[in-house]
Amino acid sequence: MTAANVPSQPDPARQGEPTIEDVAAAAGVSIRTVSRVLNKSPKVNAQTRERIEAAIAALRFRPSLRARALAMRRSFLIGLIHNDRNALVLDSIQRGIVSVTAAQGYELIVHSTPPEGPRPLPMPWPLPAVRGWTG
């Protein structure tokens, strides 16, 4: 089964937010044309591009990182695993990581281990398989 055949499930965190379908309807174009604009394809004429960009602005549309990850088969997630011993130093490191990675479209996931030492991480699901992690 390909990513295109997987039934889409609404992202509860994005409930009520405009979708790419909403942008396409507002601009009077296809979803594919909106996608081309979002991906900066030269295959869209200037007038159509302006109409789509206006619809994106009016609707305050934000592309779904989940949809992007599914389409590209990449998660755009970075994991940080630490112990609690250096919490003050970790805070500035974490803010630095986020400031660099967010600008590149990545999201940071942080997991804390107990100060007494490493142990197996309790994962509610196998993240690499579900999220498409590459390493």
Side-chain angles (χ1 to χ4, degrees):
M1 183 177 262
T2 65
N5 295 336
V6 175
S8 67
Q9 297 177 353
D11 184 348
R14 292 181 55 93
Q15 195 169 28
E17 290 187 25
T19 64
I20 194 169
E21 291 89 355
D22 297 330
V23 173
V29 298
S30 70
I31 294 168
R32 177 173 282 183
T33 304
V34 175
S35 179
R36 285 182 177 142
V37 169
L38 292 172
N39 291 308
K40 300 178 182 1
S41 170
K43 296 181 178 182
V44 181
N45 73 49
Q47 197 173 35
T48 303
R49 182 178 301 278
E50 288 173 13
R51 210 166 63 239
I52 292 169
E53 289 171 347
I56 288 170
L59 294 170
R60 295 184 177 175
F61 172 74
R62 289 182 310 125
S64 166
L65 293 179
R66 198 169 155 191
R68 177 180 169 208
L70 184 61
M72 297 183 80
R73 296 178 184 235
R74 292 186 59 195
S75 67
F76 296 94
L77 298 172
I78 294 176
L80 175 63
I81 301 170
H82 69 90
N83 64 33
D84 291 326
R85 283 181 246 192
N86 301 315
L88 293 175
V89 173
L90 178 68
D91 181 57
S92 62
I93 292 171
Q94 184 176 328
R95 278 187 275 128
I97 292 170
V98 168
S99 70
V100 171
T101 57
Q104 301 297 316
Y106 286 84
E107 184 177 351
L108 182 66
I109 295 177
V110 179
H111 180 81
S112 175
T113 62
E116 59 270 9
R119 61 178 166 70
L121 297 176
M123 296 283 185
W125 58 84
L127 285 175
V130 172
R131 299 270 187 141
W133 286 13
T134 55

